[in-house]
Amino acid sequence: RLIWKGMPVLVMRRPSGEGQTAADESGLVAAERPLRDSGRWPVRLHKTLSLLPSHLLVVATSSGPAGTAAGLRRGRAVELHGLKAGAAYNGLTGLVLSEGPNDKGRWEVS
């Protein structure tokens, strides 16, 4: 698999101690190659939002066509729209982090 600077990625974090849960975040690869000492790729993480499906449009990618919230699933690219309190985020794209909506019907997007 090819990796490049600026590539969107999901960072899967493992629990670091008892009672903690894993939390995935999204970000962009921040370098042209992995670090020499660890072999790991540096990633810049992004803010995570909980959004209703009505504020998300699925972006067309190689993994599927563009569409409405019906095509939401983990790892899909989405465009944010119709936000009032967070209007600055309208028009930005993000990645769906959650496997499904939470108990309030919202999806985790970063």
Side-chain angles (χ1 to χ4, degrees):
R1 179 168 187 155
L2 294 175
I3 298 176
W4 61 90
K5 184 176 182 179
M7 177 182 177
V9 294
L10 287 175
V11 178
M12 299 175 3
R13 296 185 175 212
R14 295 185 181 134
S16 58
E18 189 174 325
Q20 294 184 341
T21 58
D24 296 348
E25 298 183 65
S26 73
L28 299 175
V29 174
E32 296 291 334
R33 59 185 50 92
L35 301 173
R36 287 183 186 169
D37 58 338
S38 66
R40 294 182 181 193
W41 290 86
V43 173
R44 287 197 182 103
L45 298 177
H46 296 273
K47 182 176 181 72
T48 300
L49 304 170
S50 293
L51 301 171
L52 292 170
S54 59
H55 296 290
L56 304 172
L57 290 174
V58 175
V59 176
T61 64
S62 60
S63 63
T68 61
L72 287 174
R73 67 176 181 269
R74 180 183 161 95
R76 284 301 303 261
V78 292
E79 182 178 319
L80 296 98
H81 71 96
L83 299 171
K84 293 181 180 141
Y89 297 112
N90 287 331
L92 297 179
T93 57
L95 288 175
V96 176
L97 297 179
S98 53
E99 295 289 341
N102 63 20
D103 58 346
K104 295 181 181 178
R106 296 173 179 266
W107 291 75
E108 298 294 317
V109 176
S110 180

